[in-house]
Amino acid sequence: MRDFSQNHEWLSINTATLRKQWRLDRIVDACAQRGIRAIAPWRDQVAAVGLQPLAQRLRDHGIVLSGYCRGGFFPAADAAGLRAALDDNRRAIDEACTLGAPCLVLVVGSLPGALDGKPLHRDIARARAEVRDGIAATLEVARRANLPLAIEPLHPMQAAERACINTLEQALDLCDELDPARSGALGVAVDLYHVWWDPKLAQQIARAGRARLLAFHVCDWLTPTRDLLNDRGMMGDGVIEIHKARGWVEDAGYAGFSEVEIFSEHWWSRPGDEVLDTCIARHRSVV
Ligand code: ZN
């Protein structure tokens, strides 16, 4: 297992962690100042600074991506909505390629309208089928672009609004169905916040293996959790055995970045410099 205690060579910052303090260009500069080698930006943050200016800024600093957030949200109420989702995923693939991302992270979606508090139906099996078909269609585009797709299972508390894929096992079953050759074109993003509780976690990480493990996201699970979305903890402040889980992904062959992804009203209220410095310190002492 790699030793993270001496440096932060393998730290990546998911830029949602600082979305309320700074624009993306400032986040990139602040990461570069600290020798952070990788980020994972979100599409809205990229749009705010412009795709090409960001690509140039990353090249200037020598910063790479650990992933691009995000594609997905495949289910829709009707055929036009399904087509629009595929078009949007195509654009996300183009952007990811421009930025040299190693993968596009998929938050797959679930009941259409649920995110706005108005679910248009309650048929989660239909949503799952639309997710399967949407990933299959997007995978063809992604293969041509040579961009792997990383399915991120979300905690079941998000099953109605954001993702009807909720365990690593479910994500890997879909990978096996759509990419039986384990070609590297389709895999998973293991976000410990979403999967830490899963009794099959170690087993499914081993099953995923190097070919399917495309990204590794860390933060912590606070007790009690006060908000379903925006109360993630800093590594070391909660109950996730992060170091142990990193051992599992490394035993399975993963050798990429550890991406810190913290949606938190608390950390968004702190100065950006303090947040980044804390991420670096905890990456060394906890991850
Ligand atoms: Zn994540």
Side-chain angles (χ1 to χ4, degrees):
M1 187 169 168
R2 293 171 293 173
D3 178 10
F4 283 0
S5 68
Q6 302 302 313
N7 59 53
H8 51 281
E9 186 183 353
W10 292 105
L11 167 65
S12 171
I13 296 292
N14 184 298
T15 58
T17 305
L18 293 155
R19 70 153 62 252
K20 296 206 178 164
Q21 289 95 330
W22 293 335
R23 256 167 57 116
L24 185 54
D25 42 7
R26 174 121 186 246
I27 296 174
V28 170
D29 293 350
C31 285
Q33 279 164 13
R34 289 166 171 81
I36 292 169
R37 301 196 301 142
I39 63 166
W42 286 69
R43 293 181 72 194
D44 62 315
Q45 293 178 299
V46 172
V49 300
L51 185 62
Q52 294 299 342
L54 175 66
Q56 186 61 50
R57 202 176 204 93
L58 292 170
R59 281 194 295 273
D60 291 346
H61 286 311
I63 288 181
V64 299
L65 264 55
S66 57
Y68 190 51
C69 299
R70 60 173 169 56
F73 276 84
F74 296 105
D78 54 26
L82 293 171
R83 274 196 306 276
L86 293 181
D87 288 344
D88 192 51
N89 276 277
R90 246 177 245 123
R91 285 191 292 275
I93 288 170
D94 286 345
E95 294 164 22
C97 289
T98 299
L99 297 173
C103 63
L104 176 67
V105 173
L106 300 181
V107 173
V108 297
S110 191
L111 302 177
L115 202 53
D116 308 313
K118 298 187 187 85
L120 301 174
H121 65 72
R122 299 186 296 168
D123 188 350
I124 196 168
R126 171 181 160 187
R128 291 190 188 121
E130 290 175 356
V131 164
R132 182 194 60 223
D133 294 347
I135 294 178
T138 303
L139 185 57
E140 290 179 29
V141 182
R143 281 188 193 279
R144 287 196 293 274
N146 212 5
L147 179 78
L149 299 178
I151 302 170
E152 181 164 326
L154 296 201
H155 191 284
M157 67 181 171
Q158 302 285 352
E161 294 94 348
R162 287 185 174 79
C164 56
I165 293 180
N166 305 103
T167 63
L168 205 46
E169 181 174 38
Q170 196 187 352
L172 289 168
D173 285 350
L174 193 52
C175 289
D176 287 348
E177 180 184 341
L178 299 179
D179 177 42
R182 295 172 67 87
S183 68
L186 185 61
V188 293
V190 175
D191 185 328
L192 290 185
Y193 191 71
H194 294 300
V195 299
W196 70 275
W197 56 272
D198 185 346
K200 291 186 179 175
L201 182 59
Q203 173 203 349
Q204 293 299 315
I205 286 173
R207 170 191 173 191
R210 186 180 190 130
R212 296 274 198 233
L213 291 170
L214 301 182
F216 180 59
H217 301 173
V218 298
C219 68
D220 218 330
W221 184 279
L222 300 178
T223 51
T225 291
R226 292 181 182 82
D227 185 282
L228 294 191
L229 190 63
N230 295 327
D231 195 27
R232 291 183 177 216
M234 180 65 67
M235 300 80 73
D237 289 347
V239 297
I240 303 179
E241 293 181 297
I242 299 172
H243 190 73
K244 184 191 275 185
R246 183 165 72 81
W248 294 336
V249 298
E250 298 213 0
D251 284 348
Y254 182 77
F257 289 100
S258 245
E259 180 183 317
V260 174
E261 183 182 35
I262 303 175
F263 310 141
S264 160
E265 297 297 346
H266 168 72
W267 288 103
W268 285 327
S269 76
R270 306 301 306 162
D273 289 309
E274 178 192 327
V275 176
L276 270 185
D277 291 340
T278 308
C279 288
I280 289 172
R282 299 294 180 86
H283 175 83
R284 292 186 181 199
S285 63
V286 176
V287 177

